[in-house]
Amino acid sequence: MPIRQLSETMINQIAAGEVIERPASVVKELVENALDAGASRVEIVTVGGGLNLIRVSDDGSGIPEKELALAIARHCTSKLADDIHDIRSLGFRGEALPSIGSVARLSIRSRTTSSENAAEIGIDGGRVSAVRPAAANRGTTVEVRDLFFATPARLKFMKGERAESSAIGDVVKRIAIAFPAVRFTLAGPDRSTLELPATEDGPEGRLRRVAQVMGADFPDNAIAIDAMRDGVHLVGHVSVPSFTRANALQQYAYVNGRPVRDKLIAGAIRGAFADVLPRDRHAVTVLFLTLDPAIVDVNVHPAKADVRFRDPGLVRGLIVGAIREALANAGIRAATTGAAGMMAAFRPGAASYAHGGPANGHRSYEAAYRASGFSGFDPARSPQRPLDMGDGFGEDEQAAFDAGPLHSADARAGQNEAAETLLGTALGAARAQVHENYIVAQTRDSLVIVDQHAAHERLVYEALKNALHSRAVPSQMLLLPEIVDLSEEDAERLAIHSETLARFGLGIERFGPGAVAVRETPSMLGETNVQQLVRDLADEIADNDTVDTLKERLDKIAATMACHGSVRSGRLLKPEEMNALLRQMEATPGSGTCNHGRPTYIELKLADIERLFGRR
Ligand code: ADP
Ligand code: MG
């Protein structure tokens, strides 16, 4: 085939492939245009997850009638004079409208302040209609119908109405945080209405907007950030370390007012919190960076969500330093040190299992599950009440327990004999529980310390996974259904996955706007904090919707549930319970590490102990 120039429509469709990935990208582009036009009100309506209709109306400057045709022509913009290094608007590439018009039916109706009348233009799969007069107030209304009708291949990749409409909600919230003085509404038959009344510019208004978007409890749990380095200004809020989420979706970052998803910023946040947060928890953050437009490149990708800093080290250092300092000032110790020398002598448990421990994997999961005699560890059935059940459980029982394994070696000869055989096992005989979470056990030649919470979590996880493969997970009815209040998006996500959750024994259903009712929980979890479980699952699903293989999703859900069913640290265990836990660990492949990759136990060889005491 000879070389030919592509048609205008083809060129626009190719561009659309990058700029317009899904309905939420259209909403993003149209809202950006409204904000660039100085709007103080932006109204968004969607139908069918935005695939049938997206309508964005604003009260901004409007487009003069004679420029309407240009607005939908490629590479036409009113925002970039002649310096690509001085971008102060959200748009600048002049390709959103023509791209949308090449893959959908687009109409623009607009009226400027100085004009008496409005005018309208349409573009339908690339075919432009003549400008005609119309009736409208000041401002602009853009309608996009039948998105991707002209590129059916793209249509096939859409995730369904609910997922697309919730992605649109996320986009609107993300951008609304950067424009607190603008009133946003998002409505349609495919969603419950989101209304964000205007607050004001500046830190206070911004925090009020953040609270509108993220929930009223964020400001109470947030620390203000305000730092400056070499002309780069960082302001915003981060949550205190006790206020975390199971994913990083609630981390919002803005560069010169533009919402960005940036690996460098995300990494800096992770680094700043590394010492105070477990690896599987994420802070909630809203950070605004302001810097000379010349030292940041926003023209990295057509969607304009990526940025490149001229001095990445400076930006990272600023973020890490500012957050750490704020955390320290808020009275949270940022780091723990010490005992490193001694720790060096400890062997991570996972390693020794790998070298011929008892569970090197040739037993089937099923057998391991049966052998683990799991019910013995069901916290609900355990004769010992959990600590938080309160009265009566106190020092007497603690004393009786302490007297057991520590002092009765001679008194209870029968047990002694049993203990003797236990010494030959990999994890040994339980001797004591210390700090209400660590089981100290003794083998023939070592001392083993087990993190009971982490270990139990792993065992529940493995058992849940196995139970799933063989049969439905047994559930228990709650006496009263528990109502959990969530964001509408989260409630919807859970409703979408209610069938999957039912396989795990979690009976959940919609309960009005922004809420779900939980009627059944997996018996395996025993008494569990239903509210927190449901919130974490919503986070997990939101995170995982992009990954999306059923098996992965099931495993993730199992992991999240396991976390809730575990023997929490703080629960006192009887000697038999401790030994049962050790035996289950030995019988369960993979139990040497918890679900988050940390070791569930460490082993200190007698030889090393002797070395520590200078005996060798
Ligand atoms: P860009 O935003 O990169 O300039 P677009 O294709 O999104 O490119 O828009 C093209 C032009 O149309 C803009 O530069 C602007 O002049 C005009 N325009 C688009 N939407 C609006 C709006 N809501 N209000 C006023 N002008 C608009
Ligand atoms: Mg634009």
Side-chain angles (χ1 to χ4, degrees):
M1 213 182 347
I3 299 176
R4 285 182 304 140
Q5 170 82 42
L6 292 173
S7 76
E8 195 64 19
T9 299
M10 290 272 286
I11 293 172
N12 284 329
Q13 286 179 344
I14 289 168
E18 288 186 298
V19 191
I20 308 301
E21 205 188 330
R22 58 194 298 193
S25 344
V26 173
V27 172
K28 171 179 172 293
E29 294 294 336
L30 299 184
V31 171
E32 284 184 357
N33 281 347
L35 294 168
D36 280 345
S40 63
R41 275 187 297 120
V42 179
E43 280 163 23
I44 307 140
V45 172
T46 66
V47 178
L51 288 164
N52 300 345
L53 170 72
I54 293 168
R55 185 193 303 129
V56 177
S57 318
D58 67 60
D59 61 352
S61 60
I63 307 171
E65 181 173 346
K66 60 179 191 325
E67 289 183 16
L68 272 178
L70 278 181
I72 55 167
R74 197 170 156 70
H75 303 315
C76 293
T77 178
S78 57
K79 301 171 191 174
L80 197 58
D82 50 11
D83 187 359
I84 186 81
H85 302 298
D86 190 24
I87 291 167
R88 295 175 187 272
S89 50
L90 294 166
F92 56 89
R93 297 171 59 104
E95 62 184 352
L97 294 179
S99 297
I100 296 166
S102 73
V103 297
R105 304 182 214 281
L106 171 78
S107 80
I108 306 172
R109 197 164 60 233
S110 194
R111 183 176 146 191
T112 61
T113 331
S114 55
S115 163
E116 296 283 291
N117 305 304
E120 184 173 19
I121 193 169
I123 167 169
D124 192 335
R127 270 205 315 280
V128 182
S129 69
V131 176
R132 54 190 177 275
N137 293 329
R138 193 201 129 173
T140 305
T141 296
V142 180
E143 269 186 18
V144 177
R145 291 180 187 276
D146 303 332
L147 182 62
F148 298 132
F149 87 92
T151 49
R154 183 54 69 101
L155 201 51
K156 287 211 188 78
F157 283 95
M158 296 305 113
K159 293 222 175 85
E161 181 177 323
R162 284 165 157 179
E164 296 304 335
S165 86
S166 100
I168 290 171
D170 289 342
V171 158
V172 173
K173 288 177 185 172
R174 186 165 284 273
I175 200 161
I177 288 176
F179 292 84
V182 177
R183 173 194 162 82
F184 291 84
T185 58
L186 170 60
D190 54 352
R191 65 178 70 252
S192 50
T193 304
L194 172 72
E195 270 194 61
L196 303 173
T199 68
E200 70 270 20
D201 283 321
E204 268 178 33
R206 203 156 47 206
L207 189 58
R208 295 231 308 274
R209 171 56 57 86
V210 169
Q212 290 171 355
V213 170
M214 292 213 234
D217 52 349
F218 179 69
D220 291 339
N221 290 289
I223 310 171
I225 305 284
D226 189 342
M228 179 101 179
R229 195 183 285 182
D230 295 342
V232 183
H233 194 187
L234 174 72
V235 296
H237 286 86
V238 301
S239 60
V240 295
S242 53
F243 187 88
T244 61
R245 305 291 305 239
N247 61 38
L249 288 184
Q250 300 252 34
Q251 297 186 345
Y252 296 93
Y254 302 82
V255 174
N256 290 342
R258 175 191 307 283
V260 298
R261 291 192 176 277
D262 184 72
K263 285 210 176 74
L264 176 112
I265 296 174
I269 294 170
R270 212 177 315 116
F273 278 94
D275 290 338
V276 292
L277 283 190
R279 247 191 309 169
D280 54 325
R281 301 302 299 182
H282 301 266
V284 178
T285 59
V286 186
L287 295 177
F288 299 87
L289 278 165
T290 313
L291 66 174
D292 182 347
I295 59 171
V296 57
D297 185 0
V298 293
N299 190 25
V300 179
H301 183 274
K304 300 164 291 179
D306 296 304
V307 287
R308 215 161 277 153
F309 297 102
R310 183 177 297 171
D311 187 349
L314 168 68
V315 174
R316 192 189 150 85
L318 173 65
I319 295 174
V320 175
I323 295 179
R324 288 230 174 116
E325 195 188 318
L327 288 173
N329 290 343
I332 295 124
R333 282 192 41 214
T336 52
T337 50
M342 180 160 164
M343 283 306 285
F346 283 73
R347 292 156 204 266
S352 79
Y353 258 15
H355 301 297
N360 28 19
H362 39 250
R363 303 169 71 155
S364 75
Y365 274 80
E366 198 53 35
Y369 173 55
R370 253 182 280 115
S372 69
F374 208 78
S375 57
F377 256 80
D378 183 342
R381 279 206 255 158
S382 162
Q384 185 134 27
R385 279 170 296 156
L387 261 190
D388 54 5
M389 293 200 55
D391 28 327
F393 188 83
E395 287 171 7
D396 288 352
E397 282 173 80
Q398 171 71 70
F401 171 66
D402 280 346
L406 288 178
H407 308 297
S408 65
D410 296 327
R412 297 195 221 163
Q415 271 200 4
N416 224 17
E417 204 178 292
E420 185 55 32
T421 44
L422 289 182
L423 290 180
T425 60
L427 296 178
R431 289 297 188 218
Q433 182 192 32
V434 296
H435 292 293
E436 290 161 0
N437 184 50
Y438 297 99
I439 299 170
V440 180
Q442 176 184 352
T443 71
R444 291 234 158 78
D445 63 352
S446 70
L447 173 80
V448 172
I449 305 175
V450 174
D451 177 340
Q452 79 184 29
H453 175 85
H456 193 259
E457 182 176 325
R458 182 71 196 196
L459 293 172
V460 173
Y461 174 56
E462 294 294 346
L464 273 172
K465 283 200 300 184
N466 292 323
L468 261 187
H469 292 299
S470 45
R471 67 201 115 92
V473 178
S475 63
Q476 61 190 18
M477 286 290 274
L478 297 180
L479 282 178
L480 291 171
E482 184 146 352
I483 312 302
V484 185
D485 287 314
L486 300 153
S487 74
E488 177 57 24
E489 287 81 6
D490 280 348
E492 194 51 39
R493 278 187 193 112
L494 287 164
I496 295 171
H497 292 92
S498 60
E499 257 183 61
T500 311
L501 296 171
R503 287 181 62 186
F504 284 96
L506 187 71
I508 214 169
E509 57 193 63
R510 281 306 297 253
F511 193 80
V516 296
V518 179
R519 301 191 181 280
E520 286 177 317
T521 58
S523 323
M524 213 178 275
L525 299 190
E527 288 257 4
T528 189
N529 180 340
V530 173
Q531 300 277 337
Q532 193 60 46
L533 170 65
V534 167
R535 289 215 168 81
D536 283 0
L537 284 171
D539 282 351
E540 199 51 73
I541 291 168
D543 240 5
N544 226 33
D545 254 352
T546 49
V547 184
D548 228 16
T549 76
L550 181 65
K551 190 185 168 325
E552 265 180 69
R553 180 181 300 152
L554 293 180
D555 285 355
K556 287 267 176 65
I557 290 174
T560 304
M561 290 208 179
C563 203
H564 286 268
S566 310
V567 182
R568 270 157 298 165
S569 46
R571 204 168 85 79
L572 299 176
L573 298 183
K574 295 181 169 178
E576 313 85 79
E577 287 182 298
M578 293 193 288
N579 276 315
L581 182 67
L582 299 183
R583 303 293 81 77
Q584 287 171 27
M585 289 173 68
E586 287 163 354
T588 307
S591 67
T593 54
C594 78
N595 302 341
H596 315 298
R598 296 185 290 267
T600 54
Y601 74 93
I602 52 175
E603 182 177 23
L604 188 59
K605 289 287 180 196
L606 199 51
D608 290 326
I609 298 178
E610 286 171 346
R611 211 172 290 130
L612 276 174
F613 286 99
R615 282 166 167 254
R616 283 193 181 207

